[in-house]
């Protein structure tokens, strides 16, 4: 290590490991030693497609930037009666690093299908989906209404999860777009390079979908399931995750077998560090206090899910994102044999030290 960093979960960036009291912020770009922690070379476009009765958000490398970044409104994924309880002036929005309907960059780009977690929504992880797009990937993320955000505001439990099937249907929809001369994605997708990724339950969905021969690799963020398939995979856990624990995911990895499989855990990261959610309504103390401010109650069943990773003692999500982005992007570049900087280097590991725990590659 070349720098002093905070290692106490109660002092992220506020106290250093060198015994000083002043702040010791960590530069996670490390002067390019962890190249994929930084955005890629391309502006990012975003558009919305439909698949049966659900929407699919698609991010992609664009040939030019737009005039203003796109943003989403969390109210779009809750019931209309609850939406009306939150005034437009206080809308819980999140600005993404993408431009709505920007032209798709020329060339055939690898495809990633992404699955959100329980209580999530298709745009929940734009820190990651836009990052992949900036490095040249097309990322298609469908909604999973059977376990979507609306469930956080009801006492019900999820219905039967069909997410793996939805991911494969999304893949077929993108195949259709690639062959449609009227589509902006016409001959813009490389269907020989396909990955599945997801967060929490979405990580499990990605691992199940990866049993299909067309999918070359899968990535699980705070989620994943052991499959008897010899395919490259990456599992990233949060060491402070109380929903899907690091021990569970380490066990999943230990049961896997195959080449080009990796596991790592991020020190201090909770469950929602793998999403945008902790940064939405942050000034209100997070999603639960924000909802209660307008008389909207989140059932006790889902309270911990709505805050895990967003509390004061957790590693701030934005500190985890460069680690997640670097290793996920590096994994895809290696699996697909794409030209780019080396990602799995000692210098990158030292760059993120001490945030990266229990790293193993086979």
């Amino acid at each position: 290590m070349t720098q002093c960093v905070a290692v106490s979960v109660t002092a992220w960036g506020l106290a250093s490991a060198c015994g000083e009291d002043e702040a010791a912020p960590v530069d996670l770009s490390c002067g390019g030693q962890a190249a994929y922690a930084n955005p890629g070379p391309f502006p990012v476009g975003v558009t919305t497609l439909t698949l049966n009765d659900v929407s699919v958000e698609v991010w992609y490398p664009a040939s030019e930037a737009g005039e203003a970044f796109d943003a989403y409104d969390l109210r779009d994924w809750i019931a209309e009666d609850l939406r009306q309880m939150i005034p437009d002036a206080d809308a819980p929005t999140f600005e993404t690093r993408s431009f709505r309907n920007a032209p798709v960059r020329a060339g055939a780009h690898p495809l990633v299908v992404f699955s959100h977690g329980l209580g999530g929504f298709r745009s929940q992880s734009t820190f990651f989906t836009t990052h992949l797009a900036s490095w040249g990937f097309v990322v298609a993320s469908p909604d999973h209404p059977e376990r979507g955000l609306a469930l956080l505001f009801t006492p019900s439990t999820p219905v039967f999860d069909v997410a793996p099937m939805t991911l494969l249907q999304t893949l077929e929809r993108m195949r259709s777009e690639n062959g449609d001369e009227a589509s902006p994605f016409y001959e813009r997708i490389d269907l020989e390079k396909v990955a599945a990724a997801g967060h929490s339950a979405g990580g499990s969905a990605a691992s199940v979908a990866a049993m299909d021969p067309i999918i070359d690799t899968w990535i699980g963020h705070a989620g994943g399931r052991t499959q008897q398939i010899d395919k490259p995979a990456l599992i990233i856990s949060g060491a402070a995750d109380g929903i899907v624990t690091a021990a569970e995911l380490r066990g999943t990895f230990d049961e896997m077998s195959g080449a080009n499989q990796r596991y790592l855990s991020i020190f201090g990261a909770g469950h929602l560090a793998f999403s945008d959610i902790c940064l939405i309504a942050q000034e209100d103390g997070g999603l639960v206090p924000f909802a209660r401010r307008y008389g909207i109650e989140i059932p006790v069943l889902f309270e911990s899910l709505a805050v895990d990773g967003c509390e004061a003692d957790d590693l701030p999500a934005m500190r985890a994102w460069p680690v997640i982005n670097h290793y996920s992007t590096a994994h895809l570049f290696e699996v697909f044999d794409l030209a780019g900087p080396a990602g799995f280097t000692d210098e990158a590991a030292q760059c993120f030290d001490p945030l990266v725990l229990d790293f193993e590659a086979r």
Side-chain angles (χ1 to χ4, degrees):
M1 289 178 54
T2 59
Q3 56 190 335
C4 302
V5 294
V7 294
S8 166
V9 295
T10 60
W12 295 115
L14 300 179
S16 81
C18 299
E20 300 171 354
D21 293 329
E22 65 270 18
V26 182
D27 176 11
L28 290 180
S29 69
C30 291
Q33 293 175 351
Y36 300 112
N38 301 308
F42 309 121
V44 176
V46 61
T47 194
T48 307
L49 303 178
T50 56
L51 174 70
N52 301 325
D53 58 347
V54 303
S55 296
V56 179
E57 210 71 4
V58 184
W59 297 268
Y60 52 87
S63 58
E64 61 185 58
E67 295 184 358
F69 284 130
D70 190 55
Y72 63 79
D73 186 336
L74 205 66
R75 297 177 301 170
D76 290 344
W77 287 278
I78 62 177
E80 183 60 29
D81 59 331
L82 298 181
R83 177 189 175 97
Q84 292 178 358
M85 296 172 69
I86 305 172
D88 290 343
D90 296 333
T93 58
F94 187 82
E95 184 179 85
T96 76
R97 294 300 184 245
S98 59
F99 300 97
R100 176 64 54 177
N101 296 324
V104 184
R105 183 175 180 270
H109 310 290
L111 175 65
V112 179
V113 289
F114 180 84
S115 179
H116 68 72
L118 174 63
F121 48 98
R122 67 182 185 274
S123 298
Q124 67 152 59
S125 296
T126 61
F127 84 91
F128 173 65
T129 56
T130 61
H131 184 84
L132 288 185
S134 77
W135 280 100
F137 297 87
V138 172
V139 185
S141 176
D143 273 322
H144 301 299
E146 69 273 15
R147 55 170 166 80
L149 180 65
L151 286 177
L152 287 187
F153 304 97
T154 69
S156 62
T157 55
V159 298
F160 183 69
D161 191 353
V162 296
M165 182 185 301
T166 303
L167 285 182
L168 294 176
Q169 290 172 341
T170 299
L171 195 161
E172 287 305 310
R173 174 60 199 272
M174 298 310 296
R175 184 197 295 275
S176 176
E177 292 289 318
N178 189 59
D180 182 356
E181 293 184 10
S183 169
F185 294 103
Y186 177 59
E187 295 185 345
R188 293 291 191 267
I189 300 172
D190 185 349
L191 292 167
E192 298 300 314
K193 296 181 175 66
V194 179
H199 169 241
S200 189
S204 294
S207 64
V208 173
M211 297 179 71
D212 191 285
I214 195 172
I215 295 178
D216 302 297
T217 184
W218 64 274
I219 297 174
H221 291 167
R225 187 180 302 173
T226 302
Q227 299 299 330
Q228 299 305 313
I229 50 174
D230 181 7
K231 285 188 177 181
L234 170 68
I235 297 176
I236 306 179
S237 69
D241 192 334
I243 306 298
V244 182
T245 68
E248 290 178 71
L249 292 176
R250 176 70 208 203
T252 295
F253 177 77
D254 289 342
E255 293 173 1
M256 293 162 51
S257 61
N260 214 349
Q261 295 179 340
R262 297 178 174 89
Y263 169 83
L264 67 91
S265 182
I266 301 177
F267 180 66
H271 198 64
L272 295 180
F274 298 86
S275 73
D276 304 338
I277 294 171
C278 291
L279 274 70
I280 301 173
Q282 193 174 35
E283 63 278 7
D284 286 285
L287 184 59
V288 174
F290 177 82
R292 287 176 176 161
R293 175 182 168 189
Y294 295 100
I296 302 172
E297 287 298 322
I298 294 179
V300 174
L301 176 66
F302 295 122
E303 271 196 27
S304 60
L305 177 64
V307 299
D308 193 293
C310 303
E311 299 187 284
D313 285 349
D314 293 318
L315 176 73
M318 290 184 71
R319 296 288 300 282
W321 292 351
V323 185
I324 298 165
N325 285 338
H326 172 79
Y327 282 99
S328 298
T329 309
H331 177 78
L332 293 175
F333 264 73
E334 183 167 300
V335 170
F336 294 142
D337 196 23
L338 302 174
F344 296 105
T345 63
D346 290 341
E347 290 78 12
Q350 292 169 1
C351 164
F352 295 125
D353 191 20
L355 296 185
V356 174
L357 300 176
D358 193 19
F359 178 78
E360 182 174 334
R362 61 167 76 102

